[in-house]
Amino acid sequence: MTTPIIWSIAGTDSGGGAGLAADQRAADALGVHCCTVVAGITAQSTTEVTHIEATPPAVLQAQLDTLATDMPPRVIKTGLLGSAGNVRVLAAFIDRLRAQQPLALVVDPVLRASTGAALADAELRTAYRDLLLPRATVITPNQAEAVALLGNDAPGDIPAQARALRALGCEAAIITGGDAALIQRHERLSLDWLDTPQAAGWLALPREATPHNHGTGCTFASALAAALAIGWVIADAAVLAKMAATHALRHARAVGRGVGPVVAREGFATDPGLLPQLSLDEALPTAWAARPRGSDPGVYAIVDSAERVEAVLAVRPTVNTIQLRMKRPPDLDESGWHIALHEAITRSQRAASAAGATLVVNDHWRSAIGAGAQALHLGQEDLLALSAQDRADLQAARDAGVQLGISSHSLWELCRAAAMAPDLIACGPVWPTTTKDMPWRPQGLDNLAWWAHMAPAP
């Protein structure tokens, strides 16, 4: 298989912490080849930036032209670009490449160094807005950079800022939470706001206690670009980037008198402790969702009627858990459906209790609780449809002992399921199916094994 190629068009860091040095480490951690295109040169250490020199546009153009003939990229990631002239060269070059092949663009708008040194003037910020944002697949600013790009049009809250960035043409915006405002408000959690075509929400992991975080933003953006090059959709690539950046923080090292660099390494994608949680809405998470891991459900049967529940339980030695998945018949009105559903759940729960099995009711959670069901299962669409009151009532039922299972079909959906601290997690589709339209690729047994290893519940 051909190794995916990404280009990082960014600046050098003479201290080896951020910029192209961090981008190279992140690409290596994800197994892609990174071509390093120098757009700027900085004289910096762990304590200061003393000089910044933009690469002349003609030199940038020469690098791009030479690479394009031999190693065309699947994804371009930008960091420090140095000048508006370089942005103009890059924008024209992206249009040229996209006329020949698909190309994703990850824009990390490096406007200020972690030491506080300014890396972009007003002309460069305008070039970002007018030329790069409309071409961006994903933009990954921190909050201060998002506000700087939006200028006087910047809304006050982070989700609204992401929507405003997307309105400028970005396909997706991820506002990373490494700047002071979120650190002060959430000492325990590291939070990034995700706004993509697939999902929106707070992507959370416990905060890493290290003073050494130089190059975290570069690592996040480059890991995201590498994941896109491998073939992940944007929301899934963002999850992998969060995992890679957090893993890099865990391996950060002190190399001078100031803030040391983060070090991206292989192995992050198989560490269950690095799986983030994704919120359902814009409310800031206040704590890491967790509960004791439940027992294995054993053979899990899925049926569509109380009669089938009773028939399956008649051969109980092979079945420990059974799900009642009923769909409303087209010839039954709302009132009749509620009566039939209540009767079916009551009958099924009676049979399961007598057999010592667990009955799980799919979708109809209020009717299920009213009929005495002890376990529920919800899909992702059902989760998103819950109102604040629904969630409070559902949590009250869980506090009273009702179990909850949640479906997941992608990495970001696994993270959203994890944020609910469920008792069970479903993974699918495992095989291709003709019984319903599925927008997801079949997982296969290898990914199912990974799911079972990473999921915070059976």
Side-chain angles (χ1 to χ4, degrees):
M1 187 177 86
T2 303
T3 301
I5 293 173
I6 67 170
W7 294 0
S8 174
I9 304 173
T12 64
D13 174 353
S14 51
L20 292 170
D23 297 343
Q24 184 67 69
R25 292 193 291 266
D28 290 343
L30 278 94
V32 307
H33 182 78
C34 181
C35 297
T36 53
V37 178
V38 180
I41 299 170
T42 70
Q44 64 175 296
S45 65
T46 62
T47 59
E48 61 180 341
V49 178
T50 60
H51 189 77
I52 303 166
E53 191 78 28
T55 300
V59 176
L60 177 61
Q61 185 74 62
Q63 294 177 80
L64 300 176
D65 289 341
T66 302
L67 280 175
T69 61
D70 183 39
M71 292 182 282
R74 295 186 186 178
V75 183
I76 288 177
K77 176 263 176 186
T78 71
L80 170 67
L81 293 175
S83 70
N86 280 347
V87 172
R88 287 189 284 271
V89 166
L90 178 57
F93 197 84
I94 287 168
D95 291 345
R96 188 177 115 193
L97 283 180
R98 283 178 169 168
Q100 302 167 10
Q101 64 187 54
L103 174 69
L105 174 63
V106 176
V107 175
D108 183 19
V110 179
L111 306 180
R112 187 172 294 276
S114 56
T115 59
L119 302 176
D121 56 18
E123 183 186 11
L124 180 50
R125 290 196 299 271
T126 300
Y128 267 109
R129 280 177 59 109
D130 295 346
L131 297 175
L132 283 191
L133 268 61
R135 291 170 169 83
T137 307
V138 192
I139 182 169
T140 63
N142 61 31
Q143 187 182 16
E145 290 165 340
V147 170
L149 288 171
L150 292 168
N152 295 331
D153 298 327
D157 65 280
I158 290 177
Q161 289 165 9
R163 288 191 292 271
L165 288 170
R166 291 190 70 185
L168 293 175
C170 308
E171 185 177 347
I174 302 166
I175 299 181
T176 59
D179 49 340
L182 284 182
I183 290 175
Q184 291 168 1
R185 295 174 66 181
H186 292 277
E187 295 178 353
R188 290 172 294 179
L189 295 180
S190 165
L191 296 169
D192 304 318
W193 176 257
L194 183 75
D195 190 338
T196 74
Q198 297 84 28
W202 291 104
L203 202 57
L205 272 171
R207 187 173 292 281
E208 296 297 320
T210 175
H212 303 298
N213 56 18
H214 189 45
T216 307
C218 305
T219 299
F220 181 93
S222 296
L224 193 152
L228 289 175
I230 293 168
W232 296 89
V233 299
I234 299 172
D236 287 343
V239 171
L240 289 167
K242 178 79 168 176
M243 295 171 69
T246 304
H247 193 248
L249 280 162
R250 291 182 180 178
H251 294 92
R253 57 194 178 207
V255 293
R257 293 181 292 110
V259 176
V262 302
V263 181
R265 294 183 177 181
E266 295 180 359
F268 69 90
T270 56
D271 182 351
L274 286 171
L275 185 77
Q277 296 180 356
L278 179 63
S279 70
L280 283 171
D281 55 26
E282 296 182 9
L284 281 164
T286 57
W288 182 252
R291 64 192 295 122
R293 190 179 182 93
S295 58
D296 191 306
V299 174
Y300 190 127
I302 302 177
V303 298
D304 61 0
S305 67
E307 291 79 10
R308 293 269 183 173
V309 170
E310 292 169 341
V312 169
L313 292 176
V315 289
R316 167 132 194 342
T318 62
V319 175
N320 300 318
T321 309
I322 186 164
Q323 182 184 123
L324 177 63
R325 183 183 179 89
M326 290 181 64
K327 301 297 181 183
R328 176 179 168 181
D331 58 346
L332 199 60
D333 63 22
E334 190 73 21
S335 175
W337 167 237
H338 282 300
I339 293 171
L341 184 62
H342 187 276
E343 291 176 348
I345 295 172
T346 302
R347 178 176 168 183
S348 298
Q349 185 61 57
R350 188 184 307 119
S353 298
T358 299
L359 175 76
V360 181
V361 179
N362 185 74
D363 285 353
H364 312 289
W365 65 274
R366 282 200 180 276
S367 296
I369 292 171
Q374 294 302 301
L376 312 169
H377 189 90
L378 294 176
Q380 295 274 331
E381 290 182 356
D382 303 305
L383 281 179
L384 291 173
L386 296 175
S387 66
Q389 185 59 55
D390 288 339
R391 270 178 278 173
D393 293 345
L394 185 59
Q395 186 57 52
R398 296 190 71 192
D399 292 342
V402 175
Q403 296 181 38
L404 176 66
I406 296 177
S407 295
S408 62
H409 309 85
S410 61
L411 181 51
W412 66 264
E413 285 196 346
L414 177 60
C415 296
R416 178 158 277 163
M420 297 292 290
D423 299 282
L424 290 174
I425 292 178
C427 169
V430 177
W431 307 118
T433 177
T434 58
T435 61
K436 64 189 296 187
D437 230 1
M438 297 290 250
W440 305 279
R441 296 178 184 176
Q443 303 287 349
L445 293 181
D446 286 347
N447 212 33
L448 178 61
W450 181 88
W451 227 259
H453 172 70
M454 296 294 288

